[in-house]
Amino acid sequence: MRSSRLGRTGRAAALLALPVALALGAPPVLAGPSTQAGQVTPDRLPSTAQDGVALMRIVVPDQAAVDRLNDMGVDLVEYKKPVAGGLEVHAVLSPQESQQLRALGIDVRDPIADQRDYAAGQAERRAAIAENAVDAAETDTLTPLRAESFTSIDKQRFLSVEVKSSAGDAETVLTATWDAGRGTAPDSGGTATLARFTDAGQYMYHRFDEPLAVDARPTKVTITSSRGGSVTVPVTEWLGEPRKSPNPHYVSDFVDHYMDPTEVTDRITSLARQFPRIAQVIDLPYQTNGYRRAAQAQFGTAPASTLYVTSKAYGSEGGNDVSVALTQPAAAGAPLTVSVAGKAVTVNLATDAAGAVSSTAAQVVAALNAEPAAAALLTAATYRGNAGTGAVAAAPATRLSDNLKAPESVSRKPFQMKALRIGKKRDGSKVGVFLYCQEHAREWVTPLVCVETAERLLRNYARDPKTRKLVDDLDIFILPTVNPDGAHYSFYDYNMQRKNMTNYCAASAADPASRNSWGVDLNRNFSVGSLFDGYSGASTSCTSGTFAGPAELSEPEARNEVWLTERYPNIKFAMNTHSYGGYFMWPPGAYKADGRQLLPRADFGTENYFWSASDHILEAVKSWRGTAIWPGRTGPVPDVLYSAAGNSADEHWYNRGIIGWDFEVGADLYDQATKQFQPVGFQPPFAEGHEEAMEFASGQIGILEVARAFAGDRDRPDSKLRVTARTDTSTTFTFTEDEPANIYYTLDGSRPTLNSPKLTSAGMREGAQQLTVDRTTTVRWFAVDIAGNIENNYRPDGRHDNYNREQVRVGGRH
């Protein structure tokens, strides 16, 4: 059920107008016009000179600072990793925005989007050790969360460790030491300090900033604390060796260039025509606003004397034919007048007694908006809310332009979004899977993932038995481009466009130089855990990269996703594919920053199912070229990335119970020469983009295999009670299961039902809850797996007693 709307009283006001003025320690301030030597300067350079905008590194102290950047409208991307001094995040910034941030003391570093520059070396880890000997009473307890080794591309082996200290303060230093393989000395593999991971001001656990390259597979790792705690745990293998299709007739690799949404949609339409028995196209009901803009022109250089005009009609529907001239009469003392001939608007500027122009920008704006014939064609405004007291300059007739550069093959009409439905039996009787890509326009690799998956399913149906089983046993819905308008704009006008193209900005942020900042972040426009309910990670600013829109589900693109999942209730699984960073995540995806109040976590059995399925899915990703998604980038969204208010995975999970994951394709690449990981960006050279599309299409096939296993699961779970600790006065125990399942139990002698207490997690990434009794107790319980199979065929709502029972003794001999 959706949360109450009572939390909306704290809705933030509009936070910024470009150019951005930011201060991490204080509320954002609305900026005035950007000037250089009295000249108006665009904050995002025009599309013909977009090299000025870059994907930049920013280092902030903590997650709270990341949240403030988000709130203040900085165009952050889906990338975050701990570094010395805080968190490294990436943002799309203009030179002016970078300069302003640096002037405010914010650590804006080098650009990475061009793939040529990389900040060499990893900042050294925190090495502060308590000066005084640790008193025995201060010894902390270390809870190991994960200790895993894995190989990635080129067979390089890595080690990843996560440990939680009961102290958890900034003075606590954890050090890991590991062996070099079976039979070697405990410290023969190496030693490294773990970094303290915090989020929203709260300590989470310690971990390596990034996986450490090692020469041999460790078998054990020992973690010691500066406070005296110590624990040794086995190192398990994360993911297996890459698996290849055993069928030599299996075909793949169906994309050879980055494709715009028109190409992508034409491709899936063509596939449906080629394979009519097992595929069809679904026209989604809500057309987008379209790849179109109103036409505009700007007059003036100094802010006080600058004005701009915007056509009432879209440029493609006549707005581009409107022209405006500002003329200076030859006579002195002439009045300000406006005349219109067809679509040509002429402003005769007023002159003073000396014949000089006396009309101010504000007066010209008022005259244009007051003249009915002109007002039917356009609206006028001063520059970014300026009072407009400066005298304007005469200007020749200037034709307005929508400034769109896409070829004629890209329609300027509202876009008809289409989904491809694949399945032998498409009547709702089979388990449905929804695969969708490119909610964010600049993520060019993602639609290729969806297209490649569709091609593999259809073209291997007649030649590969495993593919045939997937198509026969599932109902598959593929939406390759959720954001067609924004993606067209990204391809042809401004490559870093994240949002759709719908402009909700008022006149103060609607001038032509702001056009690369308009639009709604579709993955912040959904109705669960939204900005409007007080959750963090979205913005009310119309120029922010995470602008949530004027209301939940205001955008047709978002409503199309909801419509599809409601129209076809057999959809039980979903995958939202984004880029970049190499993450694999699931709900919950948002929290309220105050106290880090998360949306409800999945129950323990479902959480284990997410983890169990991730093994299979990520092994499928690894099968293409060996890419291993890091353990530290796998898990619920806020645990590994940040809060994303109003995202689509939460929408589908909490409102319709759809088990959904998020891919962030484009894992960091390990450079053997520098021994450093390097990010790949949104639009890597196609050779790299192609490999990402291939490996994550394999991951989507892995999700389909998980869904098919779920659909055919008739096996009942088996569970055991396991005592973990005893004293003279108490006994502690938990339960184990042979598959992900929920345990319902009683301790009071009553018959267990679905309303009985349910085993929970001991904590984030900590495993099963531990239960303690202080007297001998008979425990009654049963297990239910994710598919609804009940242990021993027990009926919780019946009268039978074929549940599990075991006496847990306290005191005496055992």
Side-chain angles (χ1 to χ4, degrees), residues 764-785:
M764 185 184 70
R765 302 165 88 89
E766 289 190 34
Q769 173 189 19
Q770 304 282 309
L771 303 171
T772 300
V773 293
D774 58 7
R775 61 179 180 272
T776 298
T777 302
T778 298
V779 182
R780 295 167 171 82
W781 80 93
F782 66 94
V784 184
D785 69 15

PDB file of all heavy atoms in Angstrom, residues 764-785:
ATOM      1  N   MET A 764      21.330  -5.286   8.233  1.00  0.00           N
ATOM      2  CA  MET A 764      21.681  -5.154   6.828  1.00  0.00           C
ATOM      3  C   MET A 764      22.878  -6.020   6.469  1.00  0.00           C
ATOM      4  O   MET A 764      23.948  -5.890   7.056  1.00  0.00           O
ATOM      5  CB  MET A 764      21.996  -3.688   6.512  1.00  0.00           C
ATOM      6  CG  MET A 764      22.261  -3.425   5.052  1.00  0.00           C
ATOM      7  SD  MET A 764      22.730  -1.710   4.736  1.00  0.00           S
ATOM      8  CE  MET A 764      24.347  -1.683   5.486  1.00  0.00           C
ATOM      9  N   ARG A 765      22.672  -6.953   5.559  1.00  0.00           N
ATOM     10  CA  ARG A 765      23.707  -7.844   5.045  1.00  0.00           C
ATOM     11  C   ARG A 765      24.286  -8.753   6.134  1.00  0.00           C
ATOM     12  O   ARG A 765      25.391  -9.283   5.989  1.00  0.00           O
ATOM     13  CB  ARG A 765      24.828  -7.035   4.371  1.00  0.00           C
ATOM     14  CG  ARG A 765      24.328  -6.166   3.226  1.00  0.00           C
ATOM     15  CD  ARG A 765      25.348  -5.121   2.810  1.00  0.00           C
ATOM     16  NE  ARG A 765      26.279  -5.591   1.811  1.00  0.00           N
ATOM     17  CZ  ARG A 765      26.107  -5.526   0.497  1.00  0.00           C
ATOM     18  NH1 ARG A 765      24.963  -5.058   0.019  1.00  0.00           N
ATOM     19  NH2 ARG A 765      27.026  -5.947  -0.344  1.00  0.00           N
ATOM     20  N   GLU A 766      23.517  -9.005   7.235  1.00  0.00           N
ATOM     21  CA  GLU A 766      24.064  -9.744   8.378  1.00  0.00           C
ATOM     22  C   GLU A 766      23.547 -11.167   8.514  1.00  0.00           C
ATOM     23  O   GLU A 766      23.949 -11.875   9.419  1.00  0.00           O
ATOM     24  CB  GLU A 766      23.768  -8.979   9.677  1.00  0.00           C
ATOM     25  CG  GLU A 766      24.573  -7.717   9.839  1.00  0.00           C
ATOM     26  CD  GLU A 766      24.441  -7.118  11.221  1.00  0.00           C
ATOM     27  OE1 GLU A 766      24.302  -7.871  12.203  1.00  0.00           O
ATOM     28  OE2 GLU A 766      24.462  -5.884  11.327  1.00  0.00           O
ATOM     29  N   GLY A 767      22.628 -11.620   7.695  1.00  0.00           N
ATOM     30  CA  GLY A 767      22.136 -12.973   7.842  1.00  0.00           C
ATOM     31  C   GLY A 767      20.923 -13.050   8.740  1.00  0.00           C
ATOM     32  O   GLY A 767      20.280 -12.057   9.076  1.00  0.00           O
ATOM     33  N   ALA A 768      20.598 -14.287   9.179  1.00  0.00           N
ATOM     34  CA  ALA A 768      19.345 -14.537   9.885  1.00  0.00           C
ATOM     35  C   ALA A 768      19.373 -14.021  11.318  1.00  0.00           C
ATOM     36  O   ALA A 768      20.407 -14.012  11.987  1.00  0.00           O
ATOM     37  CB  ALA A 768      19.037 -16.029   9.879  1.00  0.00           C
ATOM     38  N   GLN A 769      18.200 -13.625  11.772  1.00  0.00           N
ATOM     39  CA  GLN A 769      17.973 -13.224  13.157  1.00  0.00           C
ATOM     40  C   GLN A 769      18.332 -14.365  14.111  1.00  0.00           C
ATOM     41  O   GLN A 769      18.124 -15.539  13.815  1.00  0.00           O
ATOM     42  CB  GLN A 769      16.498 -12.841  13.304  1.00  0.00           C
ATOM     43  CG  GLN A 769      16.001 -12.542  14.691  1.00  0.00           C
ATOM     44  CD  GLN A 769      14.490 -12.389  14.712  1.00  0.00           C
ATOM     45  OE1 GLN A 769      13.796 -12.838  13.799  1.00  0.00           O
ATOM     46  NE2 GLN A 769      13.982 -11.751  15.745  1.00  0.00           N
ATOM     47  N   GLN A 770      18.884 -14.022  15.261  1.00  0.00           N
ATOM     48  CA  GLN A 770      19.190 -14.986  16.320  1.00  0.00           C
ATOM     49  C   GLN A 770      18.140 -14.827  17.428  1.00  0.00           C
ATOM     50  O   GLN A 770      17.890 -13.710  17.898  1.00  0.00           O
ATOM     51  CB  GLN A 770      20.579 -14.733  16.895  1.00  0.00           C
ATOM     52  CG  GLN A 770      21.696 -14.756  15.859  1.00  0.00           C
ATOM     53  CD  GLN A 770      22.093 -16.156  15.450  1.00  0.00           C
ATOM     54  OE1 GLN A 770      22.352 -17.005  16.303  1.00  0.00           O
ATOM     55  NE2 GLN A 770      22.154 -16.413  14.154  1.00  0.00           N
ATOM     56  N   LEU A 771      17.510 -15.923  17.840  1.00  0.00           N
ATOM     57  CA  LEU A 771      16.480 -15.896  18.880  1.00  0.00           C
ATOM     58  C   LEU A 771      17.044 -16.486  20.169  1.00  0.00           C
ATOM     59  O   LEU A 771      17.744 -17.508  20.129  1.00  0.00           O
ATOM     60  CB  LEU A 771      15.257 -16.692  18.430  1.00  0.00           C
ATOM     61  CG  LEU A 771      14.606 -16.238  17.118  1.00  0.00           C
ATOM     62  CD1 LEU A 771      13.543 -17.232  16.675  1.00  0.00           C
ATOM     63  CD2 LEU A 771      13.992 -14.856  17.279  1.00  0.00           C
ATOM     64  N   THR A 772      16.738 -15.864  21.293  1.00  0.00           N
ATOM     65  CA  THR A 772      17.258 -16.326  22.583  1.00  0.00           C
ATOM     66  C   THR A 772      16.100 -16.611  23.534  1.00  0.00           C
ATOM     67  O   THR A 772      15.174 -15.789  23.648  1.00  0.00           O
ATOM     68  CB  THR A 772      18.192 -15.271  23.199  1.00  0.00           C
ATOM     69  OG1 THR A 772      19.287 -15.045  22.313  1.00  0.00           O
ATOM     70  CG2 THR A 772      18.733 -15.745  24.547  1.00  0.00           C
ATOM     71  N   VAL A 773      16.140 -17.774  24.176  1.00  0.00           N
ATOM     72  CA  VAL A 773      15.140 -18.121  25.194  1.00  0.00           C
ATOM     73  C   VAL A 773      15.856 -18.346  26.511  1.00  0.00           C
ATOM     74  O   VAL A 773      17.009 -18.790  26.555  1.00  0.00           O
ATOM     75  CB  VAL A 773      14.339 -19.369  24.792  1.00  0.00           C
ATOM     76  CG1 VAL A 773      13.465 -19.086  23.563  1.00  0.00           C
ATOM     77  CG2 VAL A 773      15.261 -20.564  24.508  1.00  0.00           C
ATOM     78  N   ASP A 774      15.153 -18.022  27.606  1.00  0.00           N
ATOM     79  CA  ASP A 774      15.765 -18.168  28.934  1.00  0.00           C
ATOM     80  C   ASP A 774      15.191 -19.338  29.728  1.00  0.00           C
ATOM     81  O   ASP A 774      15.474 -19.498  30.911  1.00  0.00           O
ATOM     82  CB  ASP A 774      15.627 -16.873  29.735  1.00  0.00           C
ATOM     83  CG  ASP A 774      14.182 -16.439  29.901  1.00  0.00           C
ATOM     84  OD1 ASP A 774      13.279 -17.218  29.515  1.00  0.00           O
ATOM     85  OD2 ASP A 774      13.952 -15.324  30.402  1.00  0.00           O
ATOM     86  N   ARG A 775      14.346 -20.139  29.073  1.00  0.00           N
ATOM     87  CA  ARG A 775      13.859 -21.375  29.690  1.00  0.00           C
ATOM     88  C   ARG A 775      13.596 -22.376  28.580  1.00  0.00           C
ATOM     89  O   ARG A 775      13.411 -22.012  27.413  1.00  0.00           O
ATOM     90  CB  ARG A 775      12.594 -21.127  30.501  1.00  0.00           C
ATOM     91  CG  ARG A 775      11.417 -20.602  29.709  1.00  0.00           C
ATOM     92  CD  ARG A 775      10.197 -20.413  30.622  1.00  0.00           C
ATOM     93  NE  ARG A 775       9.053 -19.909  29.881  1.00  0.00           N
ATOM     94  CZ  ARG A 775       8.802 -18.636  29.668  1.00  0.00           C
ATOM     95  NH1 ARG A 775       9.637 -17.706  30.140  1.00  0.00           N
ATOM     96  NH2 ARG A 775       7.730 -18.251  28.999  1.00  0.00           N
ATOM     97  N   THR A 776      13.594 -23.654  28.941  1.00  0.00           N
ATOM     98  CA  THR A 776      13.374 -24.697  27.943  1.00  0.00           C
ATOM     99  C   THR A 776      12.047 -24.436  27.217  1.00  0.00           C
ATOM    100  O   THR A 776      11.011 -24.238  27.854  1.00  0.00           O
ATOM    101  CB  THR A 776      13.377 -26.081  28.589  1.00  0.00           C
ATOM    102  OG1 THR A 776      14.674 -26.296  29.181  1.00  0.00           O
ATOM    103  CG2 THR A 776      13.087 -27.165  27.575  1.00  0.00           C
ATOM    104  N   THR A 777      12.117 -24.442  25.876  1.00  0.00           N
ATOM    105  CA  THR A 777      10.978 -24.011  25.058  1.00  0.00           C
ATOM    106  C   THR A 777      10.803 -24.955  23.884  1.00  0.00           C
ATOM    107  O   THR A 777      11.779 -25.367  23.240  1.00  0.00           O
ATOM    108  CB  THR A 777      11.214 -22.583  24.518  1.00  0.00           C
ATOM    109  OG1 THR A 777      11.406 -21.694  25.622  1.00  0.00           O
ATOM    110  CG2 THR A 777      10.051 -22.114  23.671  1.00  0.00           C
ATOM    111  N   THR A 778       9.553 -25.295  23.594  1.00  0.00           N
ATOM    112  CA  THR A 778       9.253 -26.043  22.375  1.00  0.00           C
ATOM    113  C   THR A 778       8.968 -25.046  21.251  1.00  0.00           C
ATOM    114  O   THR A 778       8.058 -24.216  21.351  1.00  0.00           O
ATOM    115  CB  THR A 778       8.054 -26.969  22.566  1.00  0.00           C
ATOM    116  OG1 THR A 778       8.358 -27.922  23.585  1.00  0.00           O
ATOM    117  CG2 THR A 778       7.730 -27.703  21.274  1.00  0.00           C
ATOM    118  N   VAL A 779       9.786 -25.128  20.210  1.00  0.00           N
ATOM    119  CA  VAL A 779       9.654 -24.221  19.067  1.00  0.00           C
ATOM    120  C   VAL A 779       8.869 -24.940  17.986  1.00  0.00           C
ATOM    121  O   VAL A 779       9.173 -26.094  17.620  1.00  0.00           O
ATOM    122  CB  VAL A 779      11.034 -23.794  18.535  1.00  0.00           C
ATOM    123  CG1 VAL A 779      10.882 -22.802  17.374  1.00  0.00           C
ATOM    124  CG2 VAL A 779      11.877 -23.196  19.651  1.00  0.00           C
ATOM    125  N   ARG A 780       7.837 -24.285  17.479  1.00  0.00           N
ATOM    126  CA  ARG A 780       7.032 -24.809  16.370  1.00  0.00           C
ATOM    127  C   ARG A 780       7.196 -23.864  15.176  1.00  0.00           C
ATOM    128  O   ARG A 780       7.107 -22.644  15.337  1.00  0.00           O
ATOM    129  CB  ARG A 780       5.561 -24.916  16.783  1.00  0.00           C
ATOM    130  CG  ARG A 780       5.306 -25.936  17.891  1.00  0.00           C
ATOM    131  CD  ARG A 780       3.922 -25.784  18.490  1.00  0.00           C
ATOM    132  NE  ARG A 780       3.580 -26.879  19.402  1.00  0.00           N
ATOM    133  CZ  ARG A 780       3.960 -26.942  20.676  1.00  0.00           C
ATOM    134  NH1 ARG A 780       4.679 -25.958  21.197  1.00  0.00           N
ATOM    135  NH2 ARG A 780       3.625 -27.975  21.427  1.00  0.00           N
ATOM    136  N   TRP A 781       7.401 -24.436  13.989  1.00  0.00           N
ATOM    137  CA  TRP A 781       7.653 -23.560  12.829  1.00  0.00           C
ATOM    138  C   TRP A 781       7.377 -24.284  11.511  1.00  0.00           C
ATOM    139  O   TRP A 781       7.261 -25.505  11.460  1.00  0.00           O
ATOM    140  CB  TRP A 781       9.083 -23.041  12.862  1.00  0.00           C
ATOM    141  CG  TRP A 781      10.128 -24.012  12.351  1.00  0.00           C
ATOM    142  CD1 TRP A 781      10.609 -24.113  11.094  1.00  0.00           C
ATOM    143  CD2 TRP A 781      10.791 -25.031  13.116  1.00  0.00           C
ATOM    144  NE1 TRP A 781      11.546 -25.120  11.009  1.00  0.00           N
ATOM    145  CE2 TRP A 781      11.684 -25.686  12.233  1.00  0.00           C
ATOM    146  CE3 TRP A 781      10.737 -25.446  14.456  1.00  0.00           C
ATOM    147  CZ2 TRP A 781      12.494 -26.733  12.652  1.00  0.00           C
ATOM    148  CZ3 TRP A 781      11.549 -26.480  14.862  1.00  0.00           C
ATOM    149  CH2 TRP A 781      12.420 -27.115  13.968  1.00  0.00           C
ATOM    150  N   PHE A 782       7.320 -23.497  10.456  1.00  0.00           N
ATOM    151  CA  PHE A 782       7.259 -24.022   9.081  1.00  0.00           C
ATOM    152  C   PHE A 782       7.864 -22.975   8.152  1.00  0.00           C
ATOM    153  O   PHE A 782       8.003 -21.801   8.511  1.00  0.00           O
ATOM    154  CB  PHE A 782       5.820 -24.360   8.665  1.00  0.00           C
ATOM    155  CG  PHE A 782       4.906 -23.162   8.567  1.00  0.00           C
ATOM    156  CD1 PHE A 782       4.702 -22.501   7.356  1.00  0.00           C
ATOM    157  CD2 PHE A 782       4.223 -22.698   9.693  1.00  0.00           C
ATOM    158  CE1 PHE A 782       3.864 -21.412   7.273  1.00  0.00           C
ATOM    159  CE2 PHE A 782       3.373 -21.601   9.614  1.00  0.00           C
ATOM    160  CZ  PHE A 782       3.188 -20.960   8.402  1.00  0.00           C
ATOM    161  N   ALA A 783       8.212 -23.406   6.951  1.00  0.00           N
ATOM    162  CA  ALA A 783       8.840 -22.533   5.954  1.00  0.00           C
ATOM    163  C   ALA A 783       7.941 -22.404   4.729  1.00  0.00           C
ATOM    164  O   ALA A 783       7.248 -23.353   4.346  1.00  0.00           O
ATOM    165  CB  ALA A 783      10.208 -23.084   5.551  1.00  0.00           C
ATOM    166  N   VAL A 784       7.980 -21.199   4.096  1.00  0.00           N
ATOM    167  CA  VAL A 784       7.262 -20.937   2.841  1.00  0.00           C
ATOM    168  C   VAL A 784       8.242 -20.298   1.869  1.00  0.00           C
ATOM    169  O   VAL A 784       8.872 -19.284   2.192  1.00  0.00           O
ATOM    170  CB  VAL A 784       6.067 -19.978   3.056  1.00  0.00           C
ATOM    171  CG1 VAL A 784       5.295 -19.802   1.755  1.00  0.00           C
ATOM    172  CG2 VAL A 784       5.157 -20.487   4.155  1.00  0.00           C
ATOM    173  N   ASP A 785       8.399 -20.880   0.673  1.00  0.00           N
ATOM    174  CA  ASP A 785       9.345 -20.305  -0.286  1.00  0.00           C
ATOM    175  C   ASP A 785       8.691 -19.199  -1.114  1.00  0.00           C
ATOM    176  O   ASP A 785       7.499 -18.907  -0.978  1.00  0.00           O
ATOM    177  CB  ASP A 785       9.981 -21.386  -1.165  1.00  0.00           C
ATOM    178  CG  ASP A 785       9.009 -22.039  -2.142  1.00  0.00           C
ATOM    179  OD1 ASP A 785       7.904 -21.499  -2.374  1.00  0.00           O
ATOM    180  OD2 ASP A 785       9.354 -23.109  -2.690  1.00  0.00           O
TER     181      ASP A 785
END
